[in-house]
Amino acid sequence: MKIKNKYNIGDYVWIGKDNPTCHKVEGLNVSIHSNYGIRIFYRLEGTPIDIIGFTEDECFLSKDECTQNKTYSAVKGTAIRLSNGFTRLCLIVIMILFYAPYLIIQIIYWIFTGREEPVTQHIMYKITDKLDI
């Protein structure tokens, strides 16, 4: 038996028609019942732990789809996922480009003095906190 799910772990989905919020999918719960058939529940980050999950009918790829009952085709859904992934990748590359010069300065300073350079070290700690490394 093959089970196809609409969203994957790590995808961001929107829930709530009146007050939509964006959450990251952190788990799947598949339920197979003789009367109800196959039901997939998505465990979302930031939602109460006592909720089993949200069904595919309650989750949407974008805020517009959530509030205006628009249904996107598989092609549009893939495009939204790629766009979100590309945006995250670009942000990571930009943060690395900011981080690399400070790291080079630290290495050069440490080679010649044997200790950390305080200004760049402070900036590196702030960048690391933003990246959650």
Side-chain angles (χ1 to χ4, degrees):
M1 172 187 288
K2 270 194 162 181
I3 299 172
K4 281 187 88 174
N5 53 321
K6 190 173 178 181
Y7 307 107
N8 298 317
I9 294 174
D11 287 348
Y12 287 89
V13 295
W14 289 83
I15 58 169
K17 297 273 186 201
D18 299 327
N19 189 14
T21 56
C22 185
H23 299 274
K24 184 178 181 180
V25 176
E26 64 180 21
L28 300 171
N29 183 3
V30 179
S31 172
I32 302 172
H33 194 273
S34 60
N35 293 339
Y36 303 116
I38 299 170
R39 296 182 70 189
I40 300 173
F41 296 95
Y42 295 94
R43 177 78 186 102
L44 303 179
E45 190 176 85
T47 57
I49 195 90
D50 57 341
I51 296 176
I52 291 176
F54 296 88
T55 62
E56 289 183 347
D57 298 335
E58 297 173 308
C59 300
F60 302 95
L61 278 176
S62 70
K63 189 174 183 179
D64 291 336
E65 184 181 9
C66 183
T67 57
Q68 299 171 4
N69 292 332
K70 292 181 180 177
T71 54
Y72 293 142
S73 64
V75 174
K76 177 75 173 186
T78 303
I80 290 173
R81 280 193 190 98
L82 286 175
S83 175
N84 290 343
F86 182 72
T87 303
R88 280 186 244 140
L89 182 64
C90 287
L91 288 173
I92 289 170
V93 168
I94 289 169
M95 290 304 287
I96 288 172
L97 290 175
F98 280 124
Y99 194 78
Y102 294 118
L103 184 62
I104 292 168
I105 291 170
Q106 276 296 333
I107 291 170
I108 292 171
Y109 191 84
W110 181 78
I111 288 172
F112 289 110
T113 64
R115 55 194 169 100
E116 295 177 344
E117 198 277 318
V119 175
T120 56
Q121 188 66 28
H122 180 70
I123 294 170
M124 285 175 55
Y125 283 141
K126 286 191 177 256
I127 293 172
T128 304
D129 286 343
K130 296 292 182 195
L131 291 175
D132 289 330
I133 298 176

